[in-house]
Amino acid sequence: MSYLLLLPHIRIENANAVAGLTWGFPAITHFLGYVHALSRKVSQTHAVRLSGCAVIAHEHQVHAHTSGREYLFALTRNPLTKEGRTASFNEEGRMHLTVSLLVQCEGTIPNGKYGMAALVEHLNQLCPGQKLAGGSIVSMREPQIFYTPTDAPQWRKILWRLMPGFALCDRSEWLKEHHGQLREVSPDSTLLDAWLDFSTQKFQAGEAETKDGLVPWHYQPKPMPGYLVPLMCGFQRVSRLYAPGEVANTRDSSVPFAFVEAVYGVGEWRGLHRISDVQALFWRYQTSETGYFCAAQPVSEDYPVNDDDDSK
């Protein structure tokens, strides 16, 4: 039997705001890693397994300041060295955020609502004790467990509990589509060129319209509409697989080791009132011989029109 686990309004402080080449929100790998660690602990006492995870953002505050042209992270002041000098450190971007996680739960929960209540009590003890995106969970509302809805009205009732909020959707298929369009114009275009069209702000110079020779600059919209953001969505192996203990100073010398690089994609923040296919919200691991990636189903473009929303 399948269930739906809702971890509502998790307040996280000092989470990691940098994800590879991107910044502003933790990578999707952080949230799937949190759910995976939680699943390993829960499965020891309950006959359930957590799999897909949907991320809904309610609030975020990046610790950064701007002069109007660029952003700088607000860094902590570390103690001086014994020589009285400023100690060297790695720049770290931090942020506060509030998110809700909607997690698919597979297995069997015995004793009906009493078994669900026992699992909720167990999750109340486990969830705050885990780090999420390198930050500390300072508060969260009580978890809720539902039987997996079978129709659209039941799904909407669950999504209404999370409003106002924005869900993170996978738009990596647009990256492939845009790359194909670029190659028709310039055969040497790479996926990096296509990804930069989604992740950067671009301006193009126009023709001089005044006698003083001033040139107007025009903003170039992104290839597709929507609140699109660059994502770090996994890791790709860039070396051979080393035997356990062959590479020194690894985190765990009992497992094989490989050097990896980050894999990037494109995501979209979409308001919950514009969600027509809930299954497209659930991110899952996709593993291969050379790495692992986080992906979700393509998003349906038909926006829901609910005639009974105002009456129920």
Side-chain angles (χ1 to χ4, degrees):
M1 184 171 292
S2 61
Y3 306 87
L4 205 61
L5 169 62
L6 174 60
L7 304 178
H9 290 81
I10 306 173
R11 175 66 179 172
I12 311 161
E13 291 188 353
N14 295 317
N16 187 9
V18 180
L21 299 176
T22 68
W23 71 277
F25 202 81
I28 187 64
T29 53
H30 286 298
F31 299 100
L32 284 185
Y34 176 85
V35 172
H36 178 68
L38 188 64
S39 177
R40 295 182 62 181
K41 295 179 181 179
V42 171
S43 61
Q44 296 177 2
T45 56
H46 295 75
V48 295
R49 182 178 65 88
L50 309 182
S51 54
C53 173
V55 180
I56 295 93
H58 304 287
E59 181 184 8
H60 75 282
Q61 178 190 13
V62 181
H63 297 171
H65 55 87
T66 178
S67 60
R69 295 181 59 89
E70 60 182 8
Y71 283 87
L72 299 174
F73 287 118
L75 305 177
T76 58
R77 176 64 175 176
N78 297 328
L80 301 177
T81 64
K82 60 182 180 180
E83 291 83 10
R85 300 176 182 177
T86 302
S88 60
F89 63 96
N90 293 326
E91 183 177 10
E92 295 181 347
R94 296 293 177 181
M95 66 181 300
H96 297 339
L97 69 157
T98 302
V99 297
S100 294
L101 302 182
L102 200 58
V103 184
Q104 292 178 324
C105 182
E106 301 174 357
T108 303
I109 303 178
N111 302 326
K113 63 179 182 180
Y114 300 103
M116 291 184 179
L119 180 56
V120 166
E121 181 63 27
H122 188 54
L123 291 170
N124 262 329
Q125 300 176 4
L126 288 180
C127 292
Q130 290 191 172
K131 289 280 189 176
L132 179 51
S136 301
I137 297 177
V138 296
S139 66
M140 65 176 293
R141 298 181 184 176
E142 183 173 294
Q144 303 174 37
I145 301 178
F146 313 93
Y147 291 104
T148 300
T150 57
D151 54 24
Q154 294 180 5
W155 277 112
R156 289 202 300 270
K157 289 181 180 179
I158 296 177
L159 293 181
W160 286 343
R161 299 168 183 260
L162 303 175
M163 290 185 180
F166 291 82
L168 184 61
C169 305
D170 190 4
R171 285 300 195 178
S172 295
E173 76 277 2
W174 279 356
L175 180 62
K176 299 177 182 178
E177 179 181 341
H178 182 57
H179 181 225
Q181 296 173 353
L182 288 180
R183 288 182 62 87
E184 294 178 359
V185 179
S186 176
D188 296 333
S189 298
T190 64
L191 274 173
L192 179 60
D193 297 322
W195 184 74
L196 289 175
D197 287 343
F198 285 97
S199 58
T200 59
Q201 285 189 344
K202 293 189 174 182
F203 294 84
Q204 185 175 5
E207 297 182 358
E209 299 178 351
T210 59
K211 295 181 180 179
D212 55 8
L214 294 178
V215 176
W217 288 84
H218 304 287
Y219 172 73
Q220 300 298 303
K222 294 185 178 182
M224 298 293 181
Y227 188 178
L228 303 178
V229 291
L231 294 179
M232 195 199 84
C233 52
F235 295 94
Q236 175 75 26
R237 196 175 75 194
V238 295
S239 72
R240 68 178 180 87
L241 191 63
Y242 294 92
E246 186 175 354
V247 178
N249 301 323
T250 59
R251 178 175 295 181
D252 188 350
S253 59
S254 63
V255 297
F257 177 86
F259 293 94
V260 298
E261 287 186 351
V263 175
Y264 298 94
V266 176
E268 178 190 6
W269 288 109
R270 174 170 288 200
L272 293 178
H273 62 287
R274 296 178 56 218
I275 300 299
S276 57
D277 182 10
V278 182
Q279 294 299 325
L281 301 182
F282 291 99
W283 293 76
R284 295 177 178 84
Y285 285 123
Q286 293 184 358
T287 59
S288 67
E289 290 289 334
T290 59
Y292 81 90
F293 318 97
C294 304
Q297 296 180 11
V299 180
S300 175
E301 295 300 332
D302 54 331
Y303 302 149
V305 179
N306 304 322
D307 297 331
D308 58 343
D309 283 352
D310 295 332
S311 61
K312 290 187 180 180

